[in-house]
Amino acid sequence: MGWVRNASPEVQAASQYPLILGVCLSLTILMVFTVSMRLFLRARASRWAAADYVMVVSMIFSVIYSALCISQSRYGLGLPLKLRPEANYSTYTKINYGGRPIYQVGIAGFKASLCLSYLRLISGTSKSRYRVVIWVVIVASTLGHFAGALSLIFNCTPIRRSWNAHIPGKCLPVGSLFYGLAIFTIITDVTIIVLPIPLLMGLNIKTAQKAGVVCLFLLGLFTTICSTMRLTQIQRVAFGDGNSTMLVLWGTIEFNVGNIVTCIPYLAPLLKGFVHGLGSTGKSKKYYDSRGRSYAMENWSKDSSHLQSGSRVIKPKRTPSEELILSSPEPEHGCIEMTIEYRVSLEGRSTK
């Protein structure tokens, strides 16, 4: 028996299920790994916050949505309506119905997590107005997506007509509903991605570093591209051959990529350590301060012995401060002493 249930060999060959499996599995695995690394680093630093808990919820919803997408491919996703086996109709429509609100709630999660991260960046600062703006965006985005989820759940009267078109009743127009939700998603995507740029531009860091941070956040615009591509598929689903394959796939891509991009800034310590490891050599050991500046550390001795390198004798170069410290006689208590000299002079005032 092939992957698509109740399908002939010709229908199996026409199905796009290999594409669905490849995209869903690869992106979901990458997403889970990225989110897990973020959570691990945050836990190791004992810095879990609200954004991390929201990220866990978003990751769970993303995995569920991908699983539902894969399940749908067994019952007809990947095929136009006329080629889908009639015996799979009831199961497919129920799974598809369940996945729609999962998508809306899930993407609200990673957007809220990203905004909560913005609040963490300005914590302890005087940017109270900026903080209010971020909270307004969080509330508007979350409520909007939850409203979208409810509209997808209750789009038909009775509700059972959502997965069984043979039941008498009424439903909201599919085209208008999908277009409205897609446009709202794009607007919130652009708003949330652009929101921190004025804040990042004001950071007191090097221009190259500032450009890198801004570009990192602009990667989130890829989710907007996914939303736009998803928007272009609505015409085909509502008024064309009914093949919703790319509509669902672009939603899966947006969902997973959104979670990944949200977590990338938290992986900076891991990436910095990897870059430093590539730049290190066995000749000298380098240490890094909190600002990422490197220092070459050497072994020093206060006596006059020299370093041997084969047949050559190498005398290390010392700065005046090192010469002063290392050439001074060692105090009895084994520490470095510092002498401070004060000079006080009194100038007599002239008298008439």
Side-chain angles (χ1 to χ4, degrees):
M1 184 176 67
W3 178 259
V4 181
R5 291 178 178 269
N6 304 307
S8 64
E10 292 77 16
V11 173
Q12 294 277 358
S15 176
Q16 294 177 285
Y17 76 86
L19 175 64
I20 297 172
L21 294 178
V23 172
C24 291
L25 290 176
S26 59
L27 283 181
T28 302
I29 292 172
L30 179 61
M31 182 275 299
V32 171
F33 173 77
T34 305
V35 175
S36 299
M37 289 303 302
R38 164 191 170 161
L39 299 177
F40 169 74
L41 293 174
R42 297 284 289 170
R44 190 175 65 173
S46 301
R47 298 181 64 183
W48 265 56
D52 301 299
Y53 291 103
V54 175
M55 195 71 253
V56 172
V57 175
S58 183
M59 177 182 67
I60 293 173
F61 272 72
S62 182
V63 172
I64 294 174
Y65 186 74
S66 295
L68 292 176
C69 181
I70 293 174
S71 298
Q72 289 179 71
S73 68
R74 299 214 68 188
Y75 295 95
L77 185 65
L79 293 166
L81 286 178
K82 65 180 182 180
L83 292 181
R84 293 178 183 176
E86 184 65 26
N88 298 342
Y89 171 78
S90 178
T91 304
Y92 171 81
T93 51
K94 288 178 181 178
I95 298 175
N96 182 264
Y97 172 79
R100 294 175 184 178
I102 292 291
Y103 167 80
Q104 288 292 324
V105 175
I107 61 176
F110 77 74
K111 292 177 183 181
S113 178
L114 194 57
C115 288
L116 290 172
S117 301
Y118 299 161
L119 289 174
R120 185 179 61 86
L121 288 176
I122 62 174
S123 61
T125 66
S126 59
K127 299 182 180 295
S128 57
R129 293 183 180 179
Y130 204 86
R131 188 176 293 107
V132 171
V133 172
I134 294 175
W135 273 114
V136 169
V137 173
I138 292 176
V139 173
S141 173
T142 303
L143 291 180
H145 283 296
F146 270 86
L150 291 175
S151 66
L152 291 171
I153 293 174
F154 301 104
N155 68 319
C156 290
T157 304
I159 296 178
R160 289 184 303 164
R161 196 175 192 280
S162 298
W163 61 83
N164 189 352
H166 302 297
I167 296 178
K170 295 182 179 180
C171 295
L172 296 174
V174 175
S176 301
L177 178 60
F178 282 13
Y179 273 119
L181 295 176
I183 291 172
F184 177 80
T185 299
I186 293 173
I187 292 174
T188 53
D189 282 346
V190 175
T191 302
I192 292 174
I193 296 302
V194 175
L195 188 61
I197 292 181
L199 174 66
L200 296 173
M201 294 301 293
L203 293 178
N204 187 22
I205 58 178
K206 295 180 181 179
T207 304
Q209 292 176 322
K210 186 181 297 184
V213 173
V214 172
C215 290
L216 184 62
F217 278 95
L218 285 177
L219 286 175
L221 287 177
F222 184 72
T223 61
T224 306
I225 297 175
C226 296
S227 298
T228 304
M229 296 303 297
R230 190 170 182 271
L231 178 67
T232 62
Q233 296 298 314
I234 296 176
Q235 176 71 23
R236 182 178 184 180
V237 174
F239 309 107
D241 61 1
N243 192 341
S244 58
T245 302
M246 295 311 300
L247 177 75
V248 177
L249 268 188
W250 279 116
T252 305
I253 296 170
E254 178 191 6
F255 209 158
N256 286 289
V257 171
N259 286 335
I260 292 171
V261 171
T262 302
C263 294
I264 287 178
Y266 291 88
L267 304 184
L270 186 65
L271 298 176
K272 181 184 294 184
F274 177 72
V275 173
H276 289 161
L278 291 178
S280 62
T281 62
K283 295 182 180 179
S284 62
K285 188 178 294 185
K286 292 188 177 183
Y287 296 84
Y288 299 86
D289 63 8
S290 60
R291 297 183 180 180
R293 297 176 299 185
S294 61
Y295 298 90
M297 307 297 289
E298 301 290 348
N299 293 325
W300 295 90
S301 174
K302 71 182 184 64
D303 58 24
S304 59
S305 61
H306 298 162
L307 300 176
Q308 300 289 334
S309 177
S311 59
R312 296 195 310 161
V313 178
I314 303 174
K315 183 176 181 179
K317 296 180 180 180
R318 298 172 178 171
T319 64
S321 298
E322 293 166 341
E323 292 285 358
L324 179 61
I325 294 174
L326 297 174
S327 62
S328 301
E330 182 180 0
E332 295 180 356
H333 49 72
C335 299
I336 298 175
E337 291 183 344
M338 179 176 65
T339 303
I340 302 176
E341 180 180 355
Y342 295 94
R343 293 183 181 182
V344 180
S345 62
L346 297 176
E347 297 182 358
R349 292 182 296 177
S350 61
T351 57
K352 296 182 179 179

